[in-house]
Amino acid sequence: MKKKKYVRGWLTLLAAACAGCKPIPPVNGHIVPEAKLTKGQLIQSDPNRMASLEMRNNLDALYLLMDKLYKRNPAEWKKGGAASRDEAETQVSRAIDQRTPLPGLDARDTKAMALALDPHFKGDRVATFIYGIGDMLVTAHGGKHVFYLVDGLDAQRVYNAARNVEIAMWLLSQRKDSAGHPLLLSNALSGENQNLSFERLFGGIIGRTDLVAEFTAEKYRRAVIDYGQSFFGGQFLQFLPVSEVAGAASSL
């Protein structure tokens, strides 16, 4: 009798909790994006899926940054030999996605980032800068964009990647040529039309990368905690029956 009341109590609490989790209707079409279920997700753990979404969203934000930088610095794409801005952007995204060198560039990850903000560099600064950040992020994630059960991450490498993006954001706003002009125009802080979209995009990349780094570092500790919770909380702390006598005893 006591057991039935205990179970009913748990069910009542669960129903109340579910009732308090009713979805909030979207406002002005703003809804949480949902990815379609694919076969690959069946062999992904929660940390795998989280890291895959982080990489996807970070690269999407990076390509948006590239487009914005080209619009503010229209002379840059012509320095790389591309026939158009769209072609220049395609070359960069393809090089990052396929993990191949950027055409005409003999530098990768952090070396490319540093080269793009070198006052003496004569090439396409936007392409080199974005390629360097993208290649650095992929390298920090073990050379992968998508993660499965057999894959693992080094939390320190991912954490370092977030710090590199912070440094790149600061250098982008500080580096100037010999005449005192910014090497690349980004945020606009003066005048009536202030533009901080670059800072917001960089901040999103840093935040997502930091979250995955912390989650990865805590993953093994959480595995121990989850095991303990499932062990001690299983079956309402009752012994599992192994015979009729034990089964009767467990109901006491």
Side-chain angles (χ1 to χ4, degrees), residues 48 58 82 87 102 105 177 184 205 234:
N48 293 152
N58 278 351
E87 182 180 315
L102 186 66
L105 183 66
D177 60 20
L184 286 173
I205 294 173

Side-chain angles (χ1 to χ4, degrees), residues 132-154:
I133 295 177
D135 194 54
M136 182 272 301
L137 286 171
V138 176
T139 299
H141 288 73
K144 299 178 182 294
H145 297 76
V146 181
F147 304 88
Y148 299 103
L149 291 172
V150 295
D151 299 320
L153 286 176
D154 186 318

Side-chain angles (χ1 to χ4, degrees), residues 158-234:
V158 178
Y159 176 84
N160 291 349
R163 305 290 73 75
N164 286 340
V165 176
E166 283 183 333
I167 294 169
M169 178 177 67
W170 186 84
L171 291 176
L172 179 65
S173 65
Q174 298 297 316
R175 286 288 172 87
K176 296 178 172 56
D177 60 20
S178 57
H181 301 133
L183 294 178
L184 286 173
L185 293 173
S186 54
N187 287 326
L189 300 176
S190 60
E192 295 181 0
N193 298 321
Q194 294 189 0
N195 181 359
L196 296 176
S197 60
F198 294 89
E199 184 176 316
R200 288 194 293 271
L201 287 169
F202 273 119
I205 294 173
I206 294 166
R208 284 186 291 268
T209 307
D210 265 336
L211 179 60
V212 167
E214 292 182 22
F215 188 79
T216 302
E218 192 172 323
K219 179 174 62 176
Y220 299 108
R221 186 171 68 88
R222 287 303 311 175
V224 175
I225 294 174
D226 291 343
Y227 174 79
Q229 289 175 341
S230 64
F231 179 81
F232 291 110

Side-chain angles (χ1 to χ4, degrees), residues 6-36:
Y6 191 63
V7 172
R8 284 199 298 269
W10 271 98
L11 293 176
T12 302
L13 288 174
L14 181 61
C18 292
C21 296
K22 293 180 180 179
I24 298 176
V27 178
N28 298 328
H30 294 284
I31 60 175
V32 178
E34 295 184 7
K36 293 181 180 179

